[in-house]
Amino acid sequence: MIKTLRLNEYKVLCYRIFLGYLFYFISRILFYIFNESLFGIEDTFSLLKLCYYGLAFDTTALLYINSLFILLSILPLIINKELKFQKLLLWLYFISNLIAYSTNFFDIIYYRFSQSRSTMATLDVIVNEENKSALFTHFIGTYWYVAVLFLLSSLLWIWLYKKVNIIKVKQNSKLLPYFSFSLVGMLLISTIIVGGIRGDFKHSTRPINLVDAYRHVHIPNQGDVVLNTPFSIFRTLKAANYKVPMWTDEAYIKTNIKPIKQYNRSINTKPNVVIFILESMAREYWGSMNPETSIPNFKSYTPFLDSLAHNSLIFTNGYANGRQSIHAMSSVLAGIPSFQTAFTSSPYAKQKIQSLISIADTLGYQTSFFHGAGNGSMGFLGFSNILGIKNYYGRTEYNNDDDYDGIWGIWDEPFFQFMNKTLDKQQQPFLATMFSISSHDPFKIPEKYKQRFKGGPVQMDKCVEYTDHALRSFFNYAKTQDWYENTIFVITADHTNQSNYEAYNNAINRFAIPILFFSPNKDYKLKGVRRDLASQTDIYPSIVDLMGYDKPFRSWGRSLIANNTNETPRVINSPGSLYQFMEGNYTYIFDGEKFSGVFTITDKKLEKNLIDNNNAEMQKGMANCKAYIQDYMYRVTNKQLNP
């Protein structure tokens, strides 16, 4: 009897959540019909496929919206089947759902103007409008038919909801079975909810965000069919800090930040470019990156990379511009750092972006991105499509799970060789980016190498040894190919990982990564050790320079190869809610409103605050920090990333 009662309640709950999916599908179809010309969807099957991909995003939105409703529906309250309680649930269900659902209808019209799903930034604009009432009246009056469609959909939703009710089953007086069965049900439903809000149950992905919608499409606007507006708003709640401050003027920014760069290198043949973004491969693990650190008993775990560094141009004072893997992709390939809120998770990610990819495209390059994890992992496929990368190669394209590590994807060594053989078939010049996966928690390496690579004090060490070996295998094969001699290789990391040495376990060096440029072609003169400040955002203009691109382009970084004296070395990143800005002799800590600290560039632990000993260089550094952030916010929010 108890089982029958609870199962009936769970079935009704599933039906009510199913209605959410049904009406999100209806609104998605209406969204498509009213904006059909903007999507380039070829046929009905393609449209339905996008609707299918949208289920993950609908699930996240519906679970956010209905979390309290679901909780009240599954709690063993005994009164669940009573009429008054069911009326309470009805009101809670429709107040929350219809408010969120209405935003899908708002975008049916607004999309043709914005060409992106509305986000928290859109709501901020509306809230700050002084004539909200007039705008609302105008919207309803002009687009009354959309309001009617929303009203009809809502009424149908309510009617269908009321068609299925909780069956009144006489309850057994024994409460222990009732609560025991309910506990099992709550645990199961809670697990499903957690996976649903994240987007899946895989260990290898972070919760899905807006960028993930674009991994399913090749025409970026089609990603907005996959999305729904409530999801876009929920996932951008933290993006409200994308506001443009007015600290300085454009002339100061142009003179001191120089966001528009231009180089005039003359080249005979366009070089191939291969970029390795090595997962978690901190500067700490490389012997060649630590020649002057004076760390007692220092040990390198990168014998191959150290040997390569002897014939390369390396930067021993390089830093990441973000904290996560996806941050590195935007920093390295588009020169866009990530601060409190990642650019790729913001409502501004889907816009036309001038990047290494777009410039390579104008120069006739074949562009590719390689990542051995599942094709949706880390949001790379979605952002690849936004950038316009022509070819994406992931675990799907590798198509051999014999080399699957059981957690993240294909082991580095075989996947690097897959990249090699894929490049053999590509037309030159090509630009290829490899994002590795094996040097990562849970710190596994292939069984056959466990006796060979034993690592050191931290678990990460053996993974570093394995990836270093995988790179040796890659280069041993690559040097036998005809494309090798005219190829520029760039090796860096996305972020850091486990730290063994105290010198790296501090606020600044938690961003310390290697940056290496190598080419067997001596004409590029990529050799030497540089100690000036460098970061991921400098890689993009450096490669643009080496490609011989001679037109103006947007970049907050500088060419490390040109090394122009009028371009100031600087680094900016964010450990969370603060900005860390390095320039000249100082590191500046800024919270977006005021500076809380100024430290010498060598004070990596930020122990001696000099903010009260203000001098002319500090004042200039503070002004430049503000100018950088102001220009960044302006260009990102006003879609000026493609000047």
Side-chain angles (χ1 to χ4, degrees):
M1 188 71 69
I2 295 299
K3 182 178 178 181
T4 302
L5 172 64
R6 293 306 278 165
L7 283 178
N8 175 249
E9 292 174 356
Y10 295 152
K11 288 177 182 177
V12 173
L13 173 61
C14 290
Y15 170 78
R16 291 168 175 174
I17 299 301
F18 165 77
L19 289 179
Y21 286 103
L22 173 63
F23 284 92
Y24 272 54
F25 171 76
I26 291 172
S27 66
R28 182 174 281 113
I29 296 299
L30 291 171
F31 175 76
Y32 166 72
I33 291 172
F34 280 89
N35 298 282
E36 180 179 358
S37 62
L38 300 175
F39 301 124
I41 297 174
E42 297 175 353
D43 50 42
T44 302
F45 176 76
S46 299
L47 173 61
L48 292 176
K49 187 163 65 171
L50 295 178
C51 292
Y52 168 74
Y53 292 136
L55 288 174
F57 301 88
D58 293 351
T59 298
T60 299
L62 288 167
L63 291 176
Y64 270 128
I65 295 161
N66 292 284
S67 56
L68 180 57
F69 172 81
I70 294 171
L71 176 63
L72 292 176
S73 297
I74 65 176
L75 282 175
L77 299 177
I78 302 176
I79 61 170
N80 298 41
K81 63 182 182 301
E82 298 298 327
L83 181 61
K84 289 183 179 180
F85 186 83
Q86 288 301 313
K87 282 186 176 181
L88 171 66
L89 288 182
L90 182 146
W91 281 100
L92 174 62
Y93 179 88
F94 281 110
I95 288 173
S96 55
N97 275 291
L98 293 184
I99 290 174
Y101 189 56
S102 66
T103 63
N104 285 324
F105 286 80
F106 174 82
D107 267 353
I108 286 175
I109 300 302
Y110 190 69
Y111 185 83
R112 66 188 64 171
F113 304 107
S114 65
Q115 293 201 28
S116 66
R117 286 280 187 173
S118 293
T119 61
M120 194 61 200
T122 309
L123 297 184
D124 287 342
V125 171
I126 294 172
V127 167
N128 292 322
E129 285 289 344
E130 295 180 359
N131 58 339
K132 290 186 285 290
S133 298
L135 287 172
F136 179 78
T137 302
H138 170 74
F139 187 87
I140 296 296
T142 304
Y143 305 108
W144 58 268
Y145 47 91
V146 175
V148 170
L149 286 171
F150 169 69
L151 180 60
L152 292 174
S153 296
S154 300
L155 291 174
L156 179 60
W157 193 343
I158 294 170
W159 181 77
L160 289 173
Y161 179 100
K162 291 183 174 181
K163 291 289 288 182
V164 177
N165 296 307
I166 300 292
I167 298 174
K168 292 187 177 182
V169 179
K170 186 176 180 181
Q171 187 171 307
N172 194 306
S173 59
K174 295 181 180 179
L175 295 180
L176 182 59
Y178 176 82
F179 285 109
S180 299
F181 188 85
S182 298
L183 179 61
V184 173
M186 288 175 64
L187 291 174
L188 178 61
I189 293 171
S190 298
T191 302
I192 294 172
I193 289 173
V194 170
I197 288 177
R198 285 180 54 82
D200 62 36
F201 295 89
K202 297 177 183 176
H203 179 278
S204 62
T205 57
R206 81 280 184 269
I208 57 173
N209 58 39
L210 275 67
V211 169
D212 290 289
Y214 302 98
R215 67 186 175 91
H216 300 297
V217 303
H218 295 290
I219 300 175
N221 278 8
Q222 290 180 0
D224 294 317
V225 179
V226 177
L227 289 169
N228 63 74
T229 306
F231 175 90
S232 299
I233 293 171
F234 278 117
R235 279 292 194 254
T236 56
L237 286 173
K238 294 183 180 179
N241 59 351
Y242 274 84
K243 296 178 181 178
V244 183
M246 296 303 295
W247 292 312
T248 188
D249 56 31
E250 187 176 347
Y252 185 92
I253 292 171
K254 184 177 180 180
T255 302
N256 295 278
I257 305 304
K258 296 181 174 65
I260 304 299
K261 303 291 193 298
Q262 185 173 9
Y263 303 103
N264 297 292
R265 183 180 302 274
S266 177
I267 63 172
N268 296 321
T269 305
K270 295 171 188 170
N272 302 308
V273 179
V274 175
I275 303 169
F276 281 93
I277 304 175
L278 301 178
E279 175 65 56
S280 304
M281 189 70 74
R283 196 185 336 139
E284 174 178 356
Y285 310 129
W286 295 37
S288 54
M289 293 288 166
N290 291 274
E292 299 173 357
T293 52
S294 302
I295 297 175
N297 303 313
F298 178 86
K299 181 180 178 181
S300 174
Y301 296 94
T302 56
F304 170 72
L305 287 168
D306 291 339
S307 66
L308 186 69
H310 289 311
N311 297 298
S312 304
L313 175 62
I314 65 172
F315 293 82
T316 60
N317 201 18
Y319 296 88
N321 297 105
R323 306 176 302 279
Q324 299 175 11
S325 298
I326 188 65
H327 301 176
M329 188 177 181
S330 65
S331 296
V332 172
L333 298 184
I336 303 174
S338 288
F339 303 130
Q340 290 92 331
T341 301
F343 168 74
T344 50
S345 300
S346 78
Y348 308 105
K350 204 219 84 176
Q351 60 175 285
K352 195 169 184 180
I353 301 171
Q354 188 176 44
S355 66
L356 180 55
I357 308 305
S358 66
I359 290 175
D361 190 55
T362 66
L363 295 174
Y365 276 73
Q366 181 82 350
T367 54
S368 304
F369 190 89
F370 295 80
H371 184 232
N375 286 26
S377 182
M378 302 297 178
F380 293 150
L381 178 53
F383 196 59
S384 292
N385 286 338
I386 289 173
L387 292 180
I389 293 175
K390 291 186 175 69
N391 304 295
Y392 188 97
Y393 299 96
R395 180 180 166 192
T396 300
E397 288 72 22
Y398 186 81
N399 197 29
N400 182 5
D401 273 0
D402 289 343
D403 297 320
Y404 176 50
D405 66 7
I407 297 289
W408 291 106
I410 306 303
W411 294 110
D412 280 353
E413 185 178 22
F415 199 72
F416 287 4
Q417 293 304 323
F418 168 71
M419 179 186 184
N420 252 326
K421 293 174 183 177
T422 303
L423 294 180
D424 290 347
K425 302 172 186 176
Q426 288 193 353
Q427 179 180 340
Q428 301 182 53
F430 55 72
L431 167 66
T433 303
M434 164 63 78
F435 208 116
S436 72
I437 68 167
S438 293
S439 45
H440 200 296
D441 180 275
F443 310 113
K444 295 172 58 178
I445 61 174
E447 189 68 32
K448 65 180 179 180
Y449 289 121
K450 286 186 175 179
Q451 295 304 312
R452 181 174 175 182
F453 303 129
K454 296 185 178 180
V458 297
Q459 292 175 294
M460 181 68 181
D461 294 336
K462 64 179 180 290
C463 301
V464 172
E465 288 179 320
Y466 169 68
T467 295
D468 180 78
H469 165 75
L471 283 164
R472 184 190 298 275
S473 299
F474 173 88
F475 276 89
N476 285 342
Y477 179 92
K479 67 177 59 173
T480 67
Q481 304 306 303
D482 59 2
W483 51 265
Y484 177 77
E485 286 298 322
N486 192 43
T487 300
I488 294 169
F489 297 90
V490 182
I491 301 177
T492 188
D494 56 347
H495 51 71
T496 62
N497 204 295
Q498 291 181 317
S499 181
N500 175 47
Y501 302 115
E502 184 179 355
Y504 280 98
N505 193 18
N506 55 63
I508 300 302
N509 277 345
R510 293 306 296 161
F511 289 86
I513 60 165
I515 299 176
L516 175 152
F517 291 81
F518 165 76
S519 179
N521 187 337
K522 306 302 181 185
D523 292 342
Y524 294 114
K525 300 178 181 179
L526 298 176
K527 190 172 182 179
V529 179
R530 293 263 297 276
R531 297 170 180 80
D532 46 323
L533 286 172
S535 72
Q536 292 166 334
T537 56
D538 295 323
I539 293 173
Y540 156 45
S542 299
I543 297 174
V544 168
D545 179 15
L546 287 166
M547 286 176 167
Y549 186 75
D550 59 2
K551 297 179 176 60
F553 65 100
R554 187 270 319 154
S555 171
W556 290 296
R558 65 189 176 104
S559 170
L560 299 171
I561 314 305
N563 197 31
N564 292 340
T565 56
N566 66 342
E567 293 179 347
T568 304
R570 56 172 63 99
V571 172
I572 189 168
N573 49 44
S574 174
S577 59
L578 301 171
Y579 297 95
Q580 294 180 160
F581 182 79
M582 290 183 275
E583 181 181 289
N585 293 308
Y586 299 101
T587 297
Y588 304 86
I589 306 301
F590 183 52
D591 68 2
E593 294 183 2
K594 66 180 187 302
F595 288 89
S596 59
V598 180
F599 306 85
T600 63
I601 202 76
T602 57
D603 185 2
K604 306 298 184 184
K605 294 183 179 180
L606 307 182
E607 293 179 315
K608 188 176 181 180
N609 195 340
L610 305 175
I611 196 165
D612 294 329
N613 303 322
N614 218 323
N615 60 36
E617 183 182 351
M618 290 180 188
Q619 292 173 9
K620 180 71 171 178
M622 292 179 186
N624 286 349
C625 176
K626 287 184 171 182
Y628 187 115
I629 295 167
Q630 179 176 319
D631 191 62
Y632 174 92
M633 294 299 177
Y634 175 80
R635 291 180 182 277
V636 168
T637 58
N638 288 280
K639 299 186 177 180
Q640 297 292 315
L641 295 175
N642 188 52

